[in-house]
């Protein structure tokens, strides 16, 4: 059977998710792998006001999924939503002290995984890979 892009990307994604979910820091703190992406995004944007919509765009997931994700993270004590003056519906999303304390360890492990994923690839191969992934993303967006 001929390989398909969708199957290969899904298989690789599943392997990466399993690897991230098995990180000791996540196990010790009962943190799910997807939380790492939100924690990293919020940490990288700590100097800005971040709202749910920003997380939706960054992760390319639907509003309802982000709502559920943030509710779970709030229950775990990793994020808090703070009201914005003048708009009761709008809430800023911020990391809690607990998330800040585990962020550095998570960040280190994610960087270590990234190094492993890039192993054996030349700078030109990486450039080509990212270019092809951008094309795939664009093609998927066109199908919506």
């Amino acid at each position: 059977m001929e390989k398909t892009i969708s199957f290969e990307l899904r298989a690789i994604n599943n392997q990466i998710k399993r690897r991230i979910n098995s990180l000791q820091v996540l196990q010790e703190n009962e943190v799910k792998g997807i939380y790492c992406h939100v924690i990293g995004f919020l940490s990288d944007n700590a100097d800005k006001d971040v709202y749910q919509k920003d997380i939706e765009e960054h992760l390319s997931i639907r509003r309802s999924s982000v709502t559920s994700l943030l509710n779970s993270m709030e229950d775990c004590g990793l994020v808090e939503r703070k009201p914005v003056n003048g708009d009761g519906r709008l809430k800023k999303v911020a990391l809690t002290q607990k998330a800040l304390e585990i962020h550095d360890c998570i960040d280190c492990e994610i960087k270590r995984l990234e190094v492993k994923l890039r192993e054996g690839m030349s700078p030109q191969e990486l450039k080509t890979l990212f270019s092809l992934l951008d094309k795939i993303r664009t093609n998927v967006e066109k199908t919506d």
Side-chain angles (χ1 to χ4, degrees):
M1 184 169 121
E2 183 179 342
K3 285 187 174 188
T4 64
I5 293 170
S6 60
F7 180 83
E8 292 301 318
L9 288 175
R10 186 171 196 277
I12 291 167
N13 184 51
N14 287 341
Q15 288 176 311
I16 292 170
K17 273 200 264 186
R18 275 194 300 273
R19 175 66 182 107
I20 289 172
N21 283 324
S22 71
L23 294 175
Q24 184 174 352
V25 67
L26 300 187
Q27 300 291 318
E28 289 171 356
N29 290 282
E30 297 179 22
V31 172
K32 295 179 182 176
I34 186 68
Y35 298 174
C36 297
H37 299 291
V38 177
I39 292 170
F41 178 71
L42 290 172
S43 177
D44 290 346
N45 292 281
D47 59 331
K48 303 173 193 163
D49 289 342
V50 177
Y51 304 96
Q52 178 170 328
K53 185 162 183 62
D54 300 316
I55 297 169
E56 292 167 20
E57 291 171 3
H58 176 70
L59 294 178
S60 296
I61 56 178
R62 292 189 173 98
R63 182 179 188 184
S64 59
S65 298
V66 174
T67 298
S68 176
L69 175 62
L70 291 176
N71 286 339
S72 296
M73 290 182 75
E74 208 167 24
D75 291 344
C76 291
L78 297 171
V79 298
E80 56 188 1
R81 291 181 256 198
K82 301 176 182 179
V84 175
N85 290 335
D87 189 346
R89 297 167 297 163
L90 197 57
K91 297 195 186 318
K92 292 185 276 189
V93 182
L95 294 175
T96 63
Q97 188 59 39
K98 177 181 177 180
L100 291 169
E101 289 170 3
I102 62 174
H103 171 261
D104 288 341
C105 191
I106 291 171
D107 192 48
C108 180
E109 291 295 334
I110 296 295
K111 285 178 180 173
R112 187 175 297 150
L113 177 60
E114 182 68 17
V115 167
K116 198 73 174 153
L117 293 174
R118 292 172 179 238
E119 199 170 271
M121 293 186 215
S122 70
Q124 184 57 45
E125 287 172 322
L126 284 169
K127 185 177 177 182
T128 300
L129 172 63
F130 288 119
S131 175
L132 293 171
L133 290 172
D134 286 342
K135 285 181 183 182
I136 292 169
R137 181 186 301 264
T138 299
N139 290 342
V140 168
E141 289 168 357
K142 284 184 199 175
T143 64
D144 288 345

